[in-house]
Amino acid sequence: MVKFLKVLKASATVGTVTRRYPFESSLVTSEFRGLIEIDPVKCVGCGACVRICPPKALTIEVNEKETILKYFIGRCIFCWMCVQTCPQKAIKTTNKFELSVFNLKDVMRELVFRTVTCKVCGRAFTPVKLVVEINKRVGDLYMHTDIYVCPDCRQALTARRLLTKYLGRG
Amino acid sequence: MVKQLLIKEGGETQTVKVLNRIKDLCGPHTSIEFIHDKTVKVSVKSECLRKVAEALQSEEDVYLRTMVASDEKLINDSIKLYYVFGLDREGVNVILEVKIPAALSKHYEIPSISDVVKACDWYELEAHDLMGVKFSGRFLKRLVLPDDWPEEIHPLKKDITTEEIKKLYQPQVREKALEVGAEEVALIPVGPYHPALHEPEYFELYIKEEKVVDARYVGFMVHRGIEKLGESMGYDQIPFLAERICGICGFVHSVSYTQAVEEALNIEVPEKTQYIRTIILELERIHSHLLWLGIAAHLLGYDTGFMYAWRIREKVMVLSELLTGSRKTYGINLVGGVRKDINKEKIEKTKQTLKEVWKDYKGFAEVLLNVPQVRRRLSGTGVLPGGEARAYSLVGPTARGSGLSRDVRKDYTYGAYHFVSFSIPTYSEGDNLARTLVRIDEVYESINIIEQLLDTIPSGSEIKVNSWEPQPMKLGLGNVEAPRGEVIHLVITGMYGPYRWRVRSPTYQNLQAVPTMLRGVDLADAPITIASIDPCFSCTDRAIKINIKTGKIERVPLIKLSVKGGS
Amino acid sequence: MDTPTLILQAVVVTLSLLIPPLADGIERKVRAKIQFRVGPPTILQTFYDLRKLAVKELIVPKGAELTLTISSIALVTAVTATASTIWIVAQDVFTPANLALTVLLISGSHVLISLTSLTTSNPYAVVGSFRKILLQVVNEVGFFVGVLYSITALKNLTSDTSPQLITSYVISVALVVITTYVSSGRVPYDIHEAEPELASGVLIELSGPLLSIYSYTHILKKYLLSFITAYLILTPFTSLTNPAIKLAANVTFGLMIYLSYGFTAALLGRTRIDLSLKTLTTTTLIIISLLVILSWLSSY
Ligand code: SF4
Ligand code: SF4
């Protein structure tokens, strides 16, 4: 019946386990998945990470002048799916997790790219950097000028080309 | 497949018997189709649904596992109900498919089976709320949706999008607050007030003197529409959402989900994946049970036990982080595999930690059960007889504390459980102590399972399939024995993500039995009784005494009540 | 009464008002140690807590305008009870009138503390208070019977050391120990504050200065009870005549009793109101009847 006194033995042998965090280090192990950091040099704004991000912590906005890749840390669940997906290996991983800030802006990161406008219709459609990167990767395979044409116009263009090719006229 | 089952048992199996019985009841042309090894789909006309349900319920070890309403108007012009019955002994699922022609759906009535199958009560109400299915022969009321939700809007229907729902319905919190004069109310000091417990669930306890004579549960206050949200997400995004269904045992949901998709699409996952998932699942059970034991101790005023349990739990949390990259919501599950391997070094570390945990835990369990007040207040309170447990299709430690050895790890085995030997602790008393003891014993079993798995884990590095192709409209079931009982997910596949994703958590099944447990307990024992099913922390907000004669809600009698209490 | 004694008493009373929060701080540290925790940063934490609460804005719960008055009177009564007890102990003036006054003050402060929560309109606080009062009714009887018997025994022990008297002394002190423990509101008898057990929590409506006053009164009361217990246990084993040393010994031992109560509380769980009443009533009744029988025996 007095077996419950054994807790005293445990207290004596184990001692105090509380960590005086933040004055002491936290309990994070080497495997901990923390915040991500997007390398503005490597990133080309392709948006692959945006499509995979489960909680939509990453979003992309394309307007006339610029393409903005936004990372809202407040929504990030530290899953690193984006890291796996990024074709440019532009996303660096960290084991940081301390997120409290005074200002909401401090948990937002933004990467801004200049946007290319479509040669045909003039619509802004993709970051310049991405175009350059594609150019580098596919090189001659692609007709140089087509790269500056937005997907919609490109479709029309290709169709017209095919027609010209097989029917002999546009 | 039917043949195969016949031969295996060397006689008539229960499955065959049940299927023949259904044929007898519904006519010889009933379509019966084995869609997977152990899953058979039977098309049942709504007229004979009740008869079939009666037949199934009268079978031994057969229970309703989940019921799903699915809007398939765009595909086959109907709304379908899938009643999933489990045949525990053979691990076979019988899915009754009932069709409602879409054109008639407004007036079409499905006969209710909730009087035959008690567990179906909530499922029917939910299908009514979210899908607009009408059931005859029962009282239909709102269960999931808030009271001021617009009529005739059924959020899970495919013709309404999440965006439209958001526009349509905004909870009138501000207006309501102003209406009741919340500004004034806000003057009340919030200082030391520690609003009893944790989650927004609400029980009404009907009290006579200090005994609870009846109880009513009002829930779904935090219904987040996860199923609807999931239907707009990709296959590999949902595991992360699924893990957030529960803040304590999320991994069970992502495993259930991935298993369901894998079953639907016939994806064979590598053996090592199974091992890793199983190890993490058991680790999760250990931490979850330790958490519960701590809370139970706290509810009984034994805070030292609370600290003790959570100190041990911390080791498990750190270990989980080492194996998965996160203390909770591990985020390593994808359809077709896992994202993080367990190497030699980690195996060693895990074994070592588990050894320490075992020793420490043994000391804790001994102490906890010997604290006079803890023992005294657990034994004999919140009794749930085995018969009731069976009738309500209860699952998990709640069922096992009432003598039902139901455990999907054995009954509908999955993952790597068939590689290990383990026992299922069962107690027959049905009181709070029995449920506590089940959990206490299960922790030892879990450590035991993990150790066995670590000894035999394949050494290769193949932890996920290379690629897989989605196909539309395939049905799959995935189940996991969560710390709180069986979790079951049903997925009907689509091209980019699931077409319909149905989640059934164990609390859904178990909460329905709480009023039975509460009847006759002392008011002070109500929290521990409610907590004894481990309802994801839920608990009581407040007690109201209702004058049964006048139906008036009185507040003051609480004073009388406490005076009478001790006398 | 001479001036030095007066000064001495003033000092001890002042100290006695300062020691309780300190004792509480130490108790918190000890409890933390048992629970594998660091606990509050220093043993002065309770002082800081009380001070912090005291300087917050005063919020009087709606419909409970009396709360402030009553809790203040409770505080004053508790302080007076402490002073009066110390005076009796220091002077050895156990006249019936003195005892009656002290008894009145102590039970008065208990009743007032309980009333504080009753005056709020919150049903939870009210339920908590009623639970507390229920326990108190039984407990107070036991406490005063125990104290009176042990004091009588103490006085007689100087001339008579018959086994009956010694037994009577031991039993009555045991009764005092039990009842002071229960009265301190520690686990397993913290039923009035058992928020996780529904419909209770006497502190629910109190905040800021009100809470500060309440908490301090409560700790002071706990300390006073330990002080009395210490006196009853200590006296037969010491023959101190110097009032200063005597008081110092008593204060120290009182502190130890206070801490050992806290220590015990960390090892136990909470009992239920019906169980606690049953056990408490039975124990009290048994001990009281034993005492009656013993005194009846010794009168022959
Ligand atoms: S996937 Fe990589 S390159 Fe593309 S937008 Fe994201 S971070 Fe930039
Ligand atoms: S870590 Fe996960 S949640 Fe965070 S940005 Fe990357 S994909 Fe999104």
Side-chain angles (χ1 to χ4, degrees):
Chain A
M1 230 0 224
V2 286
K3 279 191 187 140
F4 68 95
L5 291 178
K6 283 193 179 167
V7 68
L8 295 175
K9 202 178 128 208
S11 316
T13 45
V14 177
T16 305
V17 294
T18 322
R19 295 242 185 166
R20 287 170 215 246
Y21 175 82
F23 308 108
E24 243 177 274
S25 68
S26 57
L27 274 173
V28 169
T29 65
S30 60
E31 299 295 317
F32 177 71
R33 284 192 310 263
L35 277 181
I36 56 153
E37 272 163 21
I38 306 175
D39 185 341
V41 180
K42 285 191 189 158
C43 174
V44 293
C46 70
C49 53
V50 174
R51 275 189 294 278
I52 195 71
C53 177
K56 301 189 174 63
L58 292 163
T59 45
I60 202 160
E61 193 190 303
V62 186
N63 62 28
E64 285 307 307
K65 286 207 198 80
E66 7 184 74
T67 302
I68 309 165
L69 178 66
K70 290 184 183 158
Y71 173 38
F72 177 31
I73 300 171
R75 287 192 86 138
C76 179
I77 58 172
F78 304 168
C79 66
W80 291 5
M81 286 297 276
C82 52
V83 181
Q84 274 179 355
T85 314
C86 176
Q88 291 296 100
K89 305 257 165 296
I91 306 184
K92 218 177 78 196
T93 61
T94 73
N95 63 357
K96 288 187 208 147
F97 62 91
E98 285 140 329
L99 305 178
S100 2
V101 288
F102 285 111
N103 201 328
L104 189 61
K105 274 217 196 85
D106 295 343
V107 279
M108 311 267 202
R109 303 266 186 282
E110 283 186 1
L111 249 61
V112 182
F113 304 93
R114 213 147 43 78
T115 311
V116 176
T117 46
C118 173
K119 265 192 150 179
V120 181
C121 65
R123 180 172 72 93
F125 74 100
T126 205
V128 176
K129 228 173 151 187
L130 178 58
V131 174
V132 174
E133 180 63 26
I134 292 174
N135 219 358
K136 206 163 78 197
R137 287 210 186 182
V138 295
D140 310 334
L141 276 175
Y142 220 65
M143 249 180 280
H144 195 70
T145 47
D146 277 14
I147 256 171
Y148 294 99
V149 179
C150 76
D152 293 347
C153 297
R154 200 180 305 148
Q155 239 171 22
L157 204 68
T158 315
R160 198 156 345 118
R161 282 211 198 101
L162 286 175
L163 281 179
T164 330
K165 193 163 169 191
Y166 294 109
L167 303 177
R169 35 185 301 228
Chain B
M1 284 298 177
V2 181
K3 259 182 240 141
Q4 202 185 341
L5 279 164
L6 256 175
I7 300 158
K8 209 164 57 190
E9 297 288 321
E12 197 190 43
T13 63
Q14 198 184 17
T15 314
V16 173
K17 190 179 140 212
V18 164
L19 293 181
N20 283 336
R21 183 99 180 88
I22 296 179
K23 265 201 175 153
D24 287 348
L25 290 169
C26 306
H29 299 299
T30 313
S31 126
I32 295 181
E33 181 196 356
F34 265 86
I35 52 173
H36 302 288
D37 276 11
K38 298 218 155 186
T39 313
V40 49
K41 194 166 86 179
V42 185
S43 296
V44 175
K45 293 230 172 56
S46 61
E47 302 90 79
C48 50
L49 176 64
R50 274 185 70 89
K51 277 184 280 176
V52 175
E54 265 162 29
L56 282 166
Q57 187 70 16
S58 64
E59 284 285 322
E60 227 172 276
D61 295 329
V62 172
Y63 72 112
L64 179 76
R65 302 185 77 193
T66 183
M67 193 271 259
V68 187
S70 167
D71 178 9
E72 295 173 14
K73 195 170 158 193
L74 306 173
I75 314 284
N76 47 33
D77 209 26
S78 58
I79 288 176
K80 280 186 183 163
L81 300 180
Y82 300 94
Y83 295 79
V84 182
F85 282 87
L87 278 57
D88 273 1
R89 266 189 251 154
E90 284 150 25
V92 170
N93 290 304
V94 175
I95 305 181
L96 308 180
E97 181 194 55
V98 182
K99 236 181 172 172
I100 305 168
L104 303 174
S105 71
K106 277 226 166 76
H107 311 289
Y108 205 86
E109 286 194 335
I110 299 285
S112 160
I113 60 165
S114 59
D115 52 335
V116 186
V117 185
K118 275 190 186 174
C120 206
D121 186 19
W122 282 9
Y123 293 109
E124 288 179 357
L125 292 177
E126 196 180 334
H128 172 246
D129 265 7
L130 300 179
M131 208 61 102
V133 180
K134 301 227 165 26
F135 293 91
S136 59
R138 67 160 297 159
F139 174 64
L140 286 169
K141 57 175 191 231
R142 283 259 160 100
L143 176 74
V144 179
L145 296 177
D147 289 337
D148 54 348
W149 187 270
E151 286 285 330
E152 298 306 321
I153 301 289
H154 303 292
L156 263 187
K157 284 206 163 173
K158 288 285 173 188
D159 48 20
I160 184 156
T161 64
T162 323
E163 292 311 310
E164 281 167 336
I165 294 175
K166 269 193 224 158
K167 252 182 256 153
L168 246 167
Y169 180 72
Q170 288 287 332
Q172 309 291 316
V173 183
R174 239 185 76 82
E175 287 75 3
K176 275 268 163 62
L178 288 176
E179 214 174 280
V180 300
E183 296 137 299
E184 272 179 42
V185 179
L187 274 176
I188 291 177
V190 184
Y193 191 103
H194 198 288
L197 290 147
H198 323 271
E199 259 190 309
E201 261 132 326
Y202 175 75
F203 284 87
E204 269 174 24
L205 304 181
Y206 298 81
I207 299 150
K208 201 168 159 228
E209 304 204 331
E210 233 176 90
K211 292 264 185 237
V212 178
V213 291
D214 203 356
R216 191 171 76 92
Y217 169 75
V218 185
F220 298 94
M221 304 192 182
V222 280
H223 196 269
R224 293 162 287 178
I226 274 191
E227 290 176 7
K228 183 83 185 175
L229 182 61
E231 282 162 23
S232 65
M233 287 170 83
Y235 278 112
D236 272 344
Q237 291 179 317
I238 293 189
F240 299 94
L241 177 65
E243 252 173 20
R244 279 156 182 82
I245 291 174
C246 176
I248 303 165
C249 58
F251 198 65
V252 300
H253 287 287
S254 71
V255 173
S256 292
Y257 161 77
T258 49
Q259 282 177 355
V261 177
E262 284 153 12
E263 184 185 273
L265 300 174
N266 284 318
I267 303 169
E268 278 283 341
V269 296
E271 202 170 283
K272 194 163 190 188
T273 307
Q274 307 279 32
Y275 268 81
I276 295 175
R277 281 183 186 166
T278 312
I279 290 170
I280 307 296
L281 280 173
E282 288 306 316
L283 215 52
E284 195 174 55
R285 186 184 324 279
I286 299 174
H287 103 71
S288 173
H289 280 356
L290 278 168
L291 179 144
W292 183 85
L293 288 166
I295 294 294
H298 169 67
L299 286 178
L300 295 173
Y302 182 49
D303 279 343
T304 303
F306 173 40
M307 303 288 168
Y308 202 159
W310 283 47
R311 172 176 66 71
I312 303 173
R313 175 173 176 265
E314 186 58 27
K315 285 189 191 152
V316 184
M317 302 306 282
V318 175
L319 182 63
S320 308
E321 188 186 295
L322 184 79
L323 295 183
T324 66
S326 192
R327 288 165 64 91
K328 277 290 327 114
T329 44
Y330 307 128
I332 61 163
N333 233 341
L334 292 178
V335 174
V338 289
R339 296 168 64 203
K340 213 168 170 81
D341 204 353
I342 296 182
N343 60 19
K344 270 248 165 59
E345 193 189 318
K346 285 184 192 164
I347 293 177
E348 283 317 308
K349 183 86 187 83
T350 312
K351 280 187 178 167
Q352 192 203 326
T353 315
L354 286 181
K355 247 196 216 107
E356 289 165 25
V357 169
W358 179 291
K359 207 169 141 250
D360 219 353
Y361 178 72
K362 215 166 157 224
F364 162 70
E366 193 185 2
V367 167
L368 180 74
L369 289 175
N370 280 300
V371 174
Q373 290 82 15
V374 170
R375 223 203 158 85
R376 198 145 157 212
R377 293 191 51 187
L378 284 176
S379 29
T381 49
V383 179
L384 184 80
E388 292 280 329
R390 202 180 302 272
Y392 278 110
S393 301
L394 296 196
V395 293
T398 315
R400 294 195 285 276
S402 293
L404 238 66
S405 73
R406 177 173 288 155
D407 189 323
V408 295
R409 288 180 292 179
K410 281 243 160 96
D411 301 341
Y412 307 86
T413 193
Y414 57 91
Y417 287 110
H418 54 286
F419 297 121
V420 292
S421 71
F422 61 99
S423 66
I424 299 169
T426 313
Y427 288 81
S428 55
E429 292 80 1
D431 57 358
N432 288 332
L433 184 65
R435 291 187 281 275
T436 311
L437 288 173
V438 167
R439 294 197 178 92
I440 287 184
D441 293 356
E442 274 181 9
V443 172
Y444 294 121
E445 285 304 321
S446 295
I447 298 180
N448 179 6
I449 291 172
I450 300 177
E451 277 171 351
Q452 290 182 45
L453 287 173
L454 287 174
D455 285 336
T456 53
I457 192 168
S459 53
S461 61
E462 201 197 349
I463 52 167
K464 66 169 184 262
V465 293
N466 287 329
S467 65
W468 52 275
E469 285 301 318
Q471 286 167 289
M473 298 317 275
K474 298 275 180 221
L475 190 148
L477 282 171
N479 59 230
V480 165
E481 181 70 23
R484 294 159 179 70
E486 161 211 80
V487 160
I488 176 162
H489 285 214
L490 185 145
V491 167
I492 300 172
T493 55
M495 271 326 278
Y496 306 101
Y499 180 82
R500 175 80 171 93
W501 171 43
R502 167 69 162 136
V503 180
R504 209 293 319 284
S505 66
T507 310
Y508 195 90
Q509 208 94 342
N510 288 344
L511 260 181
Q512 305 186 48
V514 170
T516 315
M517 296 184 197
L518 281 176
R519 260 164 234 144
V521 308
D522 277 276
L523 181 58
D525 284 334
I528 182 70
T529 303
I530 294 167
S532 78
I533 69 158
D534 198 358
C536 281
F537 268 113
S538 66
C539 215
T540 322
D541 302 80
R542 61 195 77 164
I544 299 180
K545 185 183 175 185
I546 298 203
N547 188 326
I548 311 275
K549 271 187 225 131
T550 59
K552 221 173 80 188
I553 297 182
E554 300 171 16
R555 225 162 54 125
V556 198
L558 276 171
I559 303 170
K560 283 190 218 147
L561 168 149
S562 83
V563 181
K564 276 188 206 156
S567 50
Chain C
M1 206 189 311
D2 49 2
T3 328
T5 326
L6 261 183
I7 294 175
L8 173 70
Q9 277 176 32
V11 170
V12 175
V13 169
T14 322
L15 271 181
S16 297
L17 297 183
L18 292 177
I19 289 174
L22 191 72
D24 191 61
I26 302 175
E27 183 187 333
R28 282 162 77 178
K29 267 296 208 200
V30 171
R31 195 176 336 122
K33 189 72 202 157
I34 297 174
Q35 297 176 342
F36 319 98
R37 295 185 286 123
V38 170
T42 81
I43 54 170
L44 295 177
Q45 191 60 41
T46 306
F47 278 114
Y48 299 147
D49 291 351
L50 290 174
R51 188 189 63 193
K52 186 174 172 185
L53 284 171
V55 298
K56 291 229 173 236
E57 63 184 313
L58 177 70
I59 296 171
V60 178
K62 267 228 156 74
E65 285 69 22
L66 265 178
T67 314
L68 184 60
T69 328
I70 294 187
S71 60
S72 313
I73 302 177
L75 174 62
V76 174
T77 324
V79 172
T80 327
T82 313
S84 136
T85 311
I86 288 169
W87 176 59
I88 294 187
V89 168
Q91 305 279 323
D92 255 333
V93 278
F94 288 95
T95 61
N98 286 343
L99 281 179
L101 176 69
T102 316
V103 163
L104 193 69
L105 282 171
I106 293 177
S107 58
S109 75
H110 288 186
V111 169
L112 286 167
I113 292 176
S114 310
L115 269 185
T116 309
S117 318
L118 260 187
T119 49
T120 64
S121 59
N122 187 317
Y124 299 99
V126 172
V127 170
S129 316
F130 270 112
R131 289 186 168 177
K132 193 174 171 183
I133 290 170
L134 265 180
L135 266 179
Q136 216 167 296
V137 166
V138 181
N139 201 50
E140 217 85 330
V141 172
F143 173 67
F144 289 117
V145 170
V147 168
L148 293 179
Y149 260 94
S150 43
I151 287 176
T152 327
L154 273 182
K155 294 294 128 191
N156 295 340
L157 268 178
T158 43
S159 53
D160 165 21
T161 48
S162 68
Q164 279 107 325
L165 195 61
I166 294 178
T167 328
S168 158
Y169 165 73
V170 170
I171 296 178
S172 54
V173 168
L175 186 58
V176 171
V177 169
I178 293 172
T179 49
T180 45
Y181 186 89
V182 174
S183 189
S184 73
R186 289 185 175 92
V187 177
Y189 296 98
D190 65 335
I191 301 159
H192 60 290
E193 237 328 299
E195 279 172 41
E197 304 210 337
L198 295 180
S200 43
V202 285
L203 298 180
I204 235 163
E205 288 293 323
L206 307 179
S207 70
L210 261 180
L211 183 61
S212 182
I213 295 176
Y214 184 97
S215 308
Y216 178 72
T217 318
H218 186 58
I219 312 175
L220 183 62
K221 174 194 115 184
K222 284 202 279 192
Y223 174 74
L224 177 61
L225 293 177
S226 322
F227 183 87
I228 295 174
T229 317
Y231 173 78
L232 295 178
I233 299 178
L234 212 53
T235 316
F237 302 104
T238 49
S239 44
L240 302 169
T241 40
N242 183 331
I245 299 179
K246 198 163 122 191
L247 279 177
N250 208 332
V251 166
T252 323
F253 195 52
L255 195 60
M256 279 160 69
I257 288 181
Y258 188 102
L259 291 178
S260 62
Y261 282 2
F263 186 81
T264 316
L267 302 174
L268 296 172
R270 181 183 308 115
T271 177
R272 216 169 46 211
I273 181 80
D274 55 333
L275 294 179
S276 72
L277 267 175
K278 230 179 270 167
T279 42
L280 193 64
T281 318
T282 338
T283 342
T284 317
L285 281 182
I286 290 177
I287 296 184
I288 292 181
S289 30
L290 270 178
L291 286 172
V292 172
I293 293 170
L294 277 170
S295 53
W296 180 66
L297 278 180
S298 55
S299 64
Y300 283 97

